[in-house]
């Protein structure tokens, strides 16, 4: 068994908190926690502590929340903790080289992809969006680049055909802490592996504009988009309910590809709407939408929506 390490942990959301919790219950010593400053949240816009900060405080661990780690004051504060290692999970702040040089054993990052594939901000979502069959977590030595450091440890999982970003996020949030503890256990014997930059790609952030369904795309891509953009920003299409009204946004929660001849339809045209769902033509096949959310309501099966709003989805209607 490796000797206990004095660890400083840096992270912000629930994904990071799960890793911190595993470290707290391990043999290692958590001597300090860094998290982003409290942010306004909820209807009242009251300042709310991050999941990582709340967990640290519940376990009487000192919390530091600098707005930046680029100042001499913030760097001196970290140096005074004298960490053996700094572990970073979804922290959200850039670590300058001087910070990377402070811990005796360097800085490790837990990243939610199989690097060098999907460097960047949205690796979980992009893996689904691209139709990848596998993803996982990579634990790497941090350098000044964006997810470019040498890799120490990987664990992979299959992406299920019905996985959304939310369900895959939950799976990786369980896998990541296990991988992290295994990596720390073997730290002395692991050989860093340089990433092959020619195999790298970038996981660009999602946007609401990208979530707007383009019926000119192929059905398989739209089905992946619907899963990748769940729970945010949620794939949607605009629907004109009354001729004089502005379109309303209909969020799509669940759909599947239907292989059929659509040559007589144009992309976005409703082929059929019944208890099975709303069947819509795309660029090559049809998409059967089975769960949607209309403004002011929660997500519901299409069969329930049609009971009250069947006129919204008349056969032959062309969606935006």
């Amino acid at each position: 068994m490796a000797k206990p390490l004095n660890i400083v942990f840096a992270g912000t959301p629930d994904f990071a908190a799960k890793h911190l919790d595993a470290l707290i219950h391990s043999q290692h010593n958590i001597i300090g926690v860094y998290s982003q400053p409290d942010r306004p949240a909820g209807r009242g816009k009251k300042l709310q502590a991050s999941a990582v900060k709340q967990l640290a405080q519940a376990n009487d661990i000192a919390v530091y929340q600098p707005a930046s780690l680029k100042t001499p004051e913030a760097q001196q504060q970290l140096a005074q903790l004298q960490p053996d290692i700094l572990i970073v999970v979804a922290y959200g702040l850039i670590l300058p080289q001087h910070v990377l040089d402070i811990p005796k054993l360097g800085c490790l990052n837990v990243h939610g992809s199989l690097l060098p594939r999907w460097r960047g901000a949205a690796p979980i979502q992009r893996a689904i969006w691209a139709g990848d069959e596998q993803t996982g977590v990579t634990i790497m030595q941090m350098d000044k680049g964006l997810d470019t450091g040498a890799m120490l440890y990987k664990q992979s999982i299959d992406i299920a055909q019905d996985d959304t970003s939310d369900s895959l996020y939950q799976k990786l949030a369980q896998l990541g802490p296990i991988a992290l503890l295994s990596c720390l256990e073997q730290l002395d014997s692991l050989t860093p592996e340089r990433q092959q930059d020619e195999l790298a790609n970038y996981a660009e952030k999602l946007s609401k504009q990208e979530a707007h369904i383009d019926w000119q795309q192929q059905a398989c891509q739209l089905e992946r988009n619907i899963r990748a953009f769940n729970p945010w920003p949620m794939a949607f299409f605009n629907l004109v309910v009354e001729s004089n009204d502005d379109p309303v946004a209909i969020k799509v929660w669940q759909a599947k590809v239907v292989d059929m001849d659509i040559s007589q339809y144009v992309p976005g045209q409703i082929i059929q709407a019944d208890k099975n769902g709303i069947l819509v033509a795309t660029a090559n096949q049809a998409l059967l939408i089975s769960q949607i959310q209309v403004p002011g309501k929660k997500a519901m099966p299409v069969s329930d929506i049609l009971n009250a709003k069947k006129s919204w989805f008349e056969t032959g209607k062309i969606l935006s």
Side-chain angles (χ1 to χ4, degrees):
M1 180 178 290
K3 68 176 183 178
L5 298 170
N6 291 325
I7 295 173
V8 169
F9 183 88
T12 301
D14 179 68
F15 185 83
K18 286 181 167 57
H19 292 73
L20 175 59
D21 187 61
L23 290 171
I24 289 171
H25 291 91
S26 73
Q27 61 172 324
H28 303 292
N29 306 312
I30 312 303
I31 59 175
V33 163
Y34 279 71
S35 193
Q36 285 203 39
D38 298 356
R39 307 290 189 199
R43 291 184 178 180
K45 297 298 181 182
K46 294 182 179 179
L47 290 179
Q48 182 171 322
S50 70
V52 164
K53 178 180 178 179
Q54 293 178 46
L55 178 60
Q57 290 180 327
N59 286 273
D60 297 321
I61 301 172
V63 177
Y64 306 90
Q65 296 179 276
S68 169
L69 289 173
K70 296 180 180 180
T71 66
E73 295 78 12
Q75 294 170 8
Q76 182 180 12
Q77 186 179 62
L78 176 61
Q80 288 174 343
L81 294 175
Q82 298 183 325
D84 292 324
I85 197 166
L86 173 63
I87 293 176
V88 180
V89 184
Y91 180 31
L93 291 183
I94 295 174
L95 273 60
Q97 187 62 50
H98 188 70
V99 168
L100 298 176
D101 293 338
I102 290 174
K104 301 172 186 175
L105 300 176
C107 302
L108 297 187
N109 175 247
V110 182
H111 185 74
S113 80
L114 298 175
L115 290 171
R117 188 161 178 78
W118 300 126
R119 295 173 178 172
I124 297 173
Q125 296 93 327
R126 290 301 173 189
I128 295 175
W129 170 83
D132 292 358
E133 295 181 355
Q134 276 197 329
T135 187
V137 293
T138 303
I139 299 171
M140 65 177 173
Q141 296 174 331
M142 296 184 70
D143 60 17
K144 62 181 180 180
L146 177 64
D147 302 327
T148 57
M151 303 175 294
L152 287 176
Y153 194 86
K154 285 185 178 182
Q155 283 198 6
S156 62
I157 58 171
D158 292 336
I159 299 177
Q161 291 186 348
D162 61 351
D163 264 329
T164 64
S165 288
D166 182 57
S167 66
L168 192 55
Y169 175 99
Q170 298 301 331
K171 292 177 182 179
L172 293 180
Q174 297 298 319
L175 181 66
I178 297 171
L180 175 59
L181 293 182
S182 296
C183 179
L184 293 177
E185 184 73 18
Q186 306 170 55
L187 197 57
D188 293 339
S189 60
L190 294 174
T191 301
E193 177 186 354
R194 185 185 68 84
Q195 292 190 42
Q196 294 179 265
D197 291 338
E198 62 273 17
L199 299 179
N201 59 353
Y202 180 66
E204 186 176 353
K205 285 184 179 180
L206 306 183
S207 68
K208 289 186 177 180
Q209 181 179 1
E210 186 180 10
H212 190 176
I213 293 176
D214 178 3
W215 299 106
Q216 300 287 344
Q217 291 186 329
Q218 295 189 356
C220 61
Q221 182 62 63
L222 293 177
E223 188 273 338
R224 294 200 301 265
N225 289 359
I226 289 164
R227 292 186 291 115
F229 301 159
N230 181 345
W232 192 92
M234 290 302 301
F236 72 96
F237 60 86
N238 288 328
L239 179 70
V240 177
V241 178
E242 299 289 345
S243 58
N244 295 328
D245 292 343
D246 292 332
V248 296
I250 308 296
K251 295 180 180 179
V252 180
W253 283 75
Q254 197 168 38
K256 68 177 182 179
V257 177
V258 177
D259 187 10
M260 61 178 290
D261 180 12
I262 59 159
S263 58
Q264 61 181 309
Y265 303 100
V266 299
Q269 188 170 12
I270 296 177
I271 300 170
Q272 187 173 313
D274 56 24
K275 64 180 181 180
N276 296 314
I278 304 165
L279 191 64
V280 185
T282 71
N284 65 331
Q285 296 170 306
L287 194 69
L288 182 63
I289 300 171
S290 56
Q291 188 176 27
I292 60 176
Q293 183 177 5
V294 300
K297 303 291 184 180
K298 63 180 182 180
M300 300 173 65
V302 164
S303 57
D304 293 344
I305 299 289
L306 292 179
N307 288 334
K309 303 184 184 300
K310 189 171 180 60
S311 63
W312 286 21
F313 305 99
E314 293 177 345
T315 299
K317 191 171 189 176
I318 298 175
L319 305 175
S320 65

